Amino acid sequence: MYAVIGLGNPGNKYKGTRHNVGFDTIDCIAQKNNVKINKIKFKAVYGEAQIGGQKVLLVKPQTYMNKSGESVLDIYNFYKMPLENIIVIVDDVDIKFGSLRIRTKGSAGTHNGMKSIIYLLQSDNFPRVKIGVGKPIEHQDLADFVLSGFSKEDRIYIDKTIEQAAAAVEKIITDGINSAMNEFNINIESPGN
């Protein structure tokens, strides 16, 4: 069994922002697998899929980004699943715009949602799929930047990356994380951003 946690903020105000690419990826996986994200538990909305013969929870925490760990901890405690079966999808300002990075573990960097998860799980030993959302311009507040939307051109690129992230998550579940890293840890052609 796996839990795929897409990070984001609930509510229409945040829809389509850089911080919500995790939610967007969950929606993409759900659509591909004909799953509705309509169950409410674990301080989240979620759906249940079958991917590669595994039961997979597709989860969108509803706690707001900075408390994402509360939802992840509830799922971890309820299902007692190994940490390596909790896959977190997260926006990243430190990698190239439109690129994808899969990691088996690692620090939270500047990301408050990841800080919350690592703090509450007391471990950073879980896989994550990071989506490059660009960098703020000089003197721009990081919070303002990640809560902003994409230009029309950038949205086209980021939607391709979200599709790649969805495929990468499925690959982790079906073929293992090393196989997914070999296939997806590459840069998608993007406008330099």
Side-chain angles (χ1 to χ4, degrees):
M1 180 180 182
Y2 285 82
V4 181
I5 321 279
L7 299 191
N9 284 310
N12 284 336
K13 178 180 170 187
Y14 300 104
K15 203 171 173 58
T17 62
R18 294 168 197 273
H19 233 11
N20 273 36
V21 293
F23 276 16
D24 294 343
T25 307
I26 292 293
D27 290 339
C28 183
I29 299 168
Q31 192 178 355
K32 281 173 64 179
N33 289 280
N34 209 15
V35 170
K36 291 200 176 348
I37 307 292
N38 59 5
K39 297 178 192 295
I40 299 171
K41 195 177 179 177
F42 312 117
K43 300 180 183 128
V45 292
Y46 72 99
E48 292 179 12
Q50 283 287 325
I51 298 172
Q54 293 278 353
K55 180 179 175 180
V56 180
L57 300 182
L58 301 174
V59 183
K60 293 160 69 170
Q62 300 294 292
T63 54
Y64 290 95
M65 185 63 84
N66 295 358
K67 294 185 174 183
S68 299
E70 293 178 11
S71 175
V72 179
L73 184 64
D74 283 358
I75 290 166
Y76 175 69
N77 286 337
F78 186 84
Y79 288 104
K80 310 280 189 257
M81 68 178 73
L83 284 178
E84 55 269 22
N85 287 20
I86 296 175
I87 303 165
V88 177
I89 308 161
V90 61
D91 57 289
D92 195 321
V93 296
D94 296 316
I95 61 175
K96 186 176 167 202
F97 175 80
S99 66
L100 209 52
R101 282 285 169 276
I102 301 168
R103 295 284 181 260
T104 55
K105 59 182 181 178
S107 77
T110 57
H111 201 286
N112 289 333
M114 289 297 278
K115 285 178 187 170
S116 169
I117 294 168
I118 290 168
Y119 176 75
L120 288 172
L121 290 180
Q122 294 291 294
S123 174
D124 66 359
N125 203 12
F126 54 87
R128 68 278 321 257
V129 176
K130 305 199 271 187
I131 297 171
V133 294
K135 288 185 184 327
I137 52 177
E138 204 176 345
H139 305 304
Q140 185 180 13
D141 181 67
L142 181 60
D144 289 344
F145 177 73
V146 295
L147 294 176
S148 69
F150 297 94
S151 70
K152 213 190 263 178
E153 299 79 26
D154 283 356
R155 188 76 233 184
I156 292 164
Y157 284 106
I158 215 68
D159 284 343
K160 284 184 189 163
T161 308
I162 286 165
E163 284 174 23
Q164 290 286 301
V169 166
E170 292 195 7
K171 184 86 170 174
I172 292 169
I173 293 164
T174 57
D175 298 336
I177 193 157
N178 289 333
S179 179
M181 290 196 308
N182 288 339
E183 183 173 339
F184 291 98
N185 278 352
I186 51 173
N187 286 333
I188 291 175
E189 281 307 308
S190 70
N193 194 349

